Amino acid sequence: MRYSGFHVIWEALTGHKGWTPAWRDPAPQSDYDIIIVGGGGHGLATAYYLAKEFQQARIAVLEKGWIGGGNVGRNTTIVRSNYMLPGNEPFYEFSMKLWEGLEQDFNYNAMVSQRGVLNLYHTDAQRDAYTRRGNAMRLYGVDAELLGRDQVRAMYPFLNFDNARFPIKGGLLQRRGGTVRHDAVAWGYARGADQRGVDIIQNCEVTGFRITDGRIAGVETSRGYIGAKKVGVAVAGASSRVMAHAGMRLPIESHVLQAFVSEGLKPLIDGVITYGAGHFYVSQSDKGGLVFGGDIDGYNSYAQRGNLPVVEDVCEGGMSLMPNIGRARLLRMWGGIMDMSMDGSPIIDRTDVDGLYFNGGWCYGGFKATPASGYCFAHLLARDTPHPTATAYRFDRFRKGLMIDEKGMGAQPNLH
Amino acid sequence: MIINHPLLGPRDAQEFTYLGDANLLNRPNPDAPDAAERFYEYLYLRDNPAGLHRELWYHEQGDRSWLVVTRNTLTHEITKVELARDVARAAQAAGESA
């Protein structure tokens, strides 16, 4: 079934009796050509692009719980490509371009909204750093505008421009950045993959890898053994746990990052704002809730919930940036588990086991990367060579000292 | 989280700075022939367990001692707190890694 405006009207007039499930619920076959472990955004995108762009068949996605139940449903929905380093910027811009055509591509309404991402600066030094970042972005053909104080004031007059300690001096704006309805990304990719023959198998936890003579043979799961020629693991948050089944230790620590939604308010913020002097970033959902977040809690955790000191810190950051939210009530808060890699950048690479591939270490920036991550991982799985935009995301960069230290921080040094 | 400091009693975790896995106490021998490989593993690779985790916390807003805290990463429950000094000395006396 192809979704369209006409289809919605037709169903509305005929009692909505024609809708069918968006994807099947197949039982696992005895073996596949390619198995993707992890039915989150990245895993589903990988399966989708494998089937669509790389003409692969006999693909399965194995998901421990239900698809989209992990970090793809727990983030703050922001997409942007305002990176600086050569290893990063082409990749995130590739992702941005995929976001721009995504809904037409997979025929699903993901509510891609390029409402602009504004990073505020508060000192001369910070302005210089943002000038440099903006110039680096423009060298890669990415849009970036350095705004002065008056231009920011015209956009967001309610911000606390005259804060005695951190006055707002201006901001770096990427107009093509914005937000995307995160659950719909997982659902759209799932539906698109399913239509192309991918088996999406939920409630199927991978409990081990079967490896013979240094080559992957298949995966042990809670629903029995499934053979595979190639296995791709995309389980950010649980990467260390899953790869431990293959005897690997990763350059990753799992940390918890919290996010928050306020009660619904009238339209206030039409873009995304990040505070340059504290850990706070905010946008407003179409339902009116302010969606915001801040730091990781800063200690290893798999608990999917954080502690109150960070809640207080984030709300203090919000109050010092925009005091007008002081009477808004918090509606919900939650935590997601981040793969904090040691240099703050991701990994899309082969492993020491033939036919076993890894995608993870996304820190707290995985959502914006979803399309490119899926595309590049599919490229690696199908052709066994990295996609040109993802050549730097290798395991051995730590051993060789080729870190991609965009901000010079991974799990440490507590600068989040 | 409340960390039950061996010398000062229960203290709020906010007073502390987190460093990571207590294996960081076991710095490899820089003169060993395989020192480069050992330091790579020491610096970058982690067990990152889901469950009990021995980790280093620094009492920055307090007595500036380093602690080895045993904490469950699934529940955040803290089951054991030791002075890192004692852990390191005990390991040294036993002639093994901490």
Side-chain angles (χ1 to χ4, degrees):
Chain A
M1 182 193 296
R2 195 175 162 75
Y3 294 157
S4 66
F6 170 77
H7 205 99
V8 171
I9 294 165
W10 174 259
E11 288 295 340
L13 295 173
T14 55
H16 290 292
K17 292 186 180 118
W19 300 112
T20 53
W23 53 84
R24 298 164 294 133
D25 184 21
Q29 296 174 24
S30 62
D31 68 287
Y32 290 92
D33 284 357
I34 301 175
I35 286 179
I36 307 297
V37 183
H42 292 228
L44 293 166
T46 305
Y48 173 78
Y49 289 117
L50 272 171
K52 179 166 180 288
E53 304 292 337
F54 298 95
Q55 287 80 43
Q56 302 293 311
R58 296 180 19 87
I59 303 165
V61 176
L62 308 185
E63 166 55 43
K64 178 175 77 169
W66 62 93
I67 59 168
N71 289 339
V72 74
R74 289 173 171 268
N75 55 73
T76 45
T77 79
I78 297 166
V79 300
R80 58 186 172 85
S81 60
N82 52 0
Y83 283 70
M84 189 168 75
L85 297 182
N88 274 335
E89 181 59 12
F91 173 83
Y92 286 102
E93 177 57 14
F94 178 47
S95 202
M96 198 70 230
K97 290 206 173 94
L98 288 173
W99 282 122
E100 287 173 330
L102 185 67
E103 293 164 305
Q104 299 302 320
D105 190 63
F106 67 20
N107 181 232
Y108 201 89
N109 181 9
M111 295 164 67
V112 176
S113 166
Q114 293 182 287
R115 51 182 74 182
V117 174
L118 177 67
N119 303 133
L120 298 174
Y121 61 80
H122 308 265
T123 62
D124 290 351
Q126 209 170 13
R127 183 197 58 217
D128 292 349
Y130 278 170
T131 306
R132 184 178 174 218
R133 175 175 297 270
N135 284 337
M137 290 163 65
R138 293 175 74 124
L139 283 174
Y140 288 106
V142 182
D143 67 308
E145 289 170 53
L146 196 72
L147 304 186
R149 181 185 166 92
D150 292 340
Q151 289 164 292
V152 173
R153 197 189 283 274
M155 290 173 74
Y156 299 111
F158 51 83
L159 295 181
N160 190 6
F161 285 86
D162 299 316
N163 183 312
R165 192 163 174 209
F166 301 114
I168 295 169
K169 303 271 195 177
L172 181 67
L173 175 66
Q174 185 185 20
R175 289 192 194 273
R176 287 164 63 241
T179 60
V180 181
R181 166 92 166 95
H182 51 191
D183 299 311
V185 174
W187 299 334
Y189 275 124
R191 176 169 167 273
D194 180 83
Q195 283 176 344
R196 289 165 179 81
V198 173
D199 282 357
I200 296 169
I201 300 160
Q202 305 183 71
N203 298 310
C204 181
E205 180 176 1
V206 169
T207 54
F209 297 104
R210 196 175 289 181
I211 298 164
T212 46
D213 300 331
R215 186 168 177 83
I216 195 84
V219 293
E220 307 283 355
T221 76
S222 54
R223 294 174 70 171
Y225 173 76
I226 308 175
K229 295 195 180 102
K230 291 179 176 176
V231 175
V233 177
V235 294
S239 293
S240 297
R241 298 171 78 176
V242 172
M243 295 312 280
H245 294 313
M248 287 183 68
R249 289 174 83 216
L250 303 179
I252 285 171
E253 287 180 8
S254 295
H255 286 249
V256 61
L257 177 69
Q258 302 188 65
F260 311 84
V261 173
S262 78
E263 61 189 325
L265 304 171
K266 288 189 175 178
L268 174 69
I269 301 171
D270 59 2
V272 179
I273 307 172
T274 75
Y275 187 29
H279 294 277
F280 179 78
Y281 52 89
V282 62
S283 65
Q284 190 168 18
S285 78
D286 292 359
K287 282 193 286 187
L290 299 178
V291 184
F292 57 97
D295 291 355
I296 56 173
D297 270 37
Y299 45 80
N300 287 44
S301 174
Y302 284 95
Q304 290 193 324
R305 59 181 166 74
N307 274 305
L308 288 171
V310 170
V311 178
E312 190 178 14
D313 184 58
V314 170
C315 292
E316 280 173 356
M319 281 300 289
S320 74
L321 177 66
M322 35 194 295
N324 54 342
I325 61 170
R327 309 258 322 252
R329 279 163 293 197
L330 265 184
L331 202 63
R332 291 186 291 129
M333 50 196 264
W334 64 94
I337 302 305
M338 311 290 117
D339 269 10
M340 295 305 297
S341 68
M342 291 295 147
D343 62 355
S345 294
I347 296 161
I348 304 176
D349 201 1
R350 305 179 193 88
T351 66
D352 294 335
V353 179
D354 279 346
L356 179 62
Y357 301 79
F358 177 77
N359 175 332
W362 290 98
C363 298
Y364 33 74
F367 178 67
K368 73 176 90 69
T370 304
S373 166
Y375 198 102
C376 294
F377 199 34
H379 187 286
L380 181 68
L381 279 158
R383 305 209 176 139
D384 225 25
T385 54
H387 187 271
T389 63
T391 51
Y393 297 150
R394 300 160 57 104
F395 271 116
D396 66 3
R397 67 174 188 262
F398 299 99
R399 183 181 264 121
K400 293 181 171 171
L402 300 172
M403 264 78 80
I404 314 168
D405 47 355
E406 181 79 30
K407 289 185 172 175
M409 57 202 204
Q412 286 285 320
N414 301 320
L415 283 176
H416 304 280
Chain B
M1 290 189 294
I2 302 289
I3 294 175
N4 196 7
H5 194 298
L7 303 176
L8 304 175
R11 313 294 304 190
D12 194 307
Q14 258 192 298
E15 296 176 5
F16 294 79
T17 304
Y18 180 80
L19 183 65
D21 196 315
N23 258 329
L24 292 168
L25 287 172
N26 305 322
R27 190 188 297 263
N29 176 7
D31 298 324
D34 60 346
E37 181 65 20
R38 298 280 296 277
F39 266 97
Y40 155 70
E41 290 177 7
Y42 168 80
L43 273 174
Y44 295 120
L45 301 187
R46 300 284 187 273
D47 287 337
N48 194 20
L52 289 184
H53 187 229
R54 293 178 77 235
E55 54 200 20
L56 288 165
W57 292 76
Y58 175 55
H59 199 190
E60 190 170 27
Q61 309 292 326
D63 70 345
R64 307 221 159 182
S65 58
W66 282 94
L67 305 182
V68 174
V69 176
T70 306
R71 189 177 57 94
N72 190 325
T73 57
L74 289 164
T75 62
H76 297 166
E77 184 193 10
I78 292 170
T79 47
K80 193 174 178 186
V81 184
E82 306 152 272
L83 287 171
R85 175 178 78 193
D86 295 345
V87 174
R89 279 186 183 151
Q92 208 171 26
E96 56 194 37
S97 58

